[in-house]
């Protein structure tokens, strides 16, 4: 019985390690793809800028340099998001909400949109797995981008709730 119990505990631990490794591999693959694609675009645009420089087309060069700047900021953001999601010290819901507030303040503030976040019924000490944090934050980012792009609003109210075991 003791040997069986030890074996079961060992198998559970191995499965946890394998699950974590799978998630880390997926994040690494996604990050690699994002970085590779974005750096490829930056490289292409820099080559085009060199050609336009030789042709003395300064207005087109400004447009290309702006695109390179946008791509650079995008890859910095994606890398920061991936590192944040993997970092074990960010596993509480409190840290996720703080990151969401910071992100919303940055983007909505620069778009002159006032916002409030209601999270009265949330257990801040609730632990989230790495993939949960990542997915919730990506959904949140997409919602903020869509608000700025399509809503044409001056105020946003964000409600974060826990229903059963879902946020």
């Amino acid at each position: 019985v003791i040997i069986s119990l030890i074996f079961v505990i060992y198998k559970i631990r191995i499965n946890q390690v394998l699950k974590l490794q799978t998630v880390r591999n997926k994040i690494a693959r996604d990050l690699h793809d994002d970085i590779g694609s974005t750096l490829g675009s930056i490289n292409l645009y820099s080559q085009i800028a060199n050609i336009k420089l030789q042709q003395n087309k300064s207005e087109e060069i400004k447009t290309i340099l702006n695109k390179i700047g946008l791509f650079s900021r995008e890859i910095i953001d994606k890398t920061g998001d991936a590192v944040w999601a993997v970092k074990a010290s960010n596993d509480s819901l409190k840290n996720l909400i703080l990151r969401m507030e910071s992100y919303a303040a940055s983007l909505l503030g620069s778009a002159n949109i006032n916002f409030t976040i209601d999270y009265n019924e949330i257990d801040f000490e609730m632990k989230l797995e790495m993939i949960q944090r990542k997915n919730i934050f990506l959904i949140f980012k997409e919602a903020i981008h869509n608000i700025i792009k399509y809503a044409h609003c001056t105020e946003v109210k964000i409600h974060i709730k826990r229903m059963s075991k879902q946020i």
Side-chain angles (χ1 to χ4, degrees), residues 18 33 42 48-49 55 67 92 146:
L18 290 174
D33 292 346
I42 289 171
I48 293 170
Q55 296 171 348
K67 287 181 182 180
S92 72
N146 287 341

Side-chain angles (χ1 to χ4, degrees), residues 4-53:
S4 295
L5 183 61
I6 291 171
F7 180 75
V8 168
I9 292 170
Y10 173 77
K11 286 296 268 183
I12 290 171
R13 181 68 183 133
I14 292 294
N15 286 338
Q16 288 174 335
V17 169
L18 290 174
K19 183 179 173 185
L20 183 60
Q21 188 61 39
T22 301
V23 170
R24 286 182 176 159
N25 286 341
K26 183 181 181 330
I27 290 172
R29 245 187 341 269
D30 291 348
L31 191 57
H32 177 268
D33 292 346
D34 285 342
I35 289 172
S37 171
T38 304
L39 288 177
S41 296
I42 289 171
N43 181 43
L44 179 65
Y45 279 117
S46 66
Q47 290 175 11
I48 293 170
N50 279 329
I51 292 169
K52 299 296 180 182
L53 184 63

Side-chain angles (χ1 to χ4, degrees), residues 93-145:
L93 183 56
K94 177 182 178 181
N95 287 337
L96 175 61
I97 290 174
L98 289 174
R99 180 141 174 109
M100 291 165 73
E101 280 182 319
S102 173
Y103 186 81
S106 170
L107 265 65
L108 294 174
S110 61
N112 294 320
I113 299 173
N114 296 321
F115 76 97
T116 57
I117 298 182
D118 175 23
Y119 42 77
N120 291 332
E121 302 170 19
I122 292 291
D123 174 16
F124 285 110
E125 299 311 313
M126 178 180 167
K127 301 295 181 194
L128 299 172
E129 293 182 20
M130 177 175 33
I131 197 71
Q132 291 173 311
R133 289 191 317 268
K134 180 181 178 234
N135 288 339
I136 291 170
F137 188 66
L138 289 176
I139 291 167
F140 181 80
K141 281 178 64 172
E142 185 66 22
I144 296 297
H145 282 276

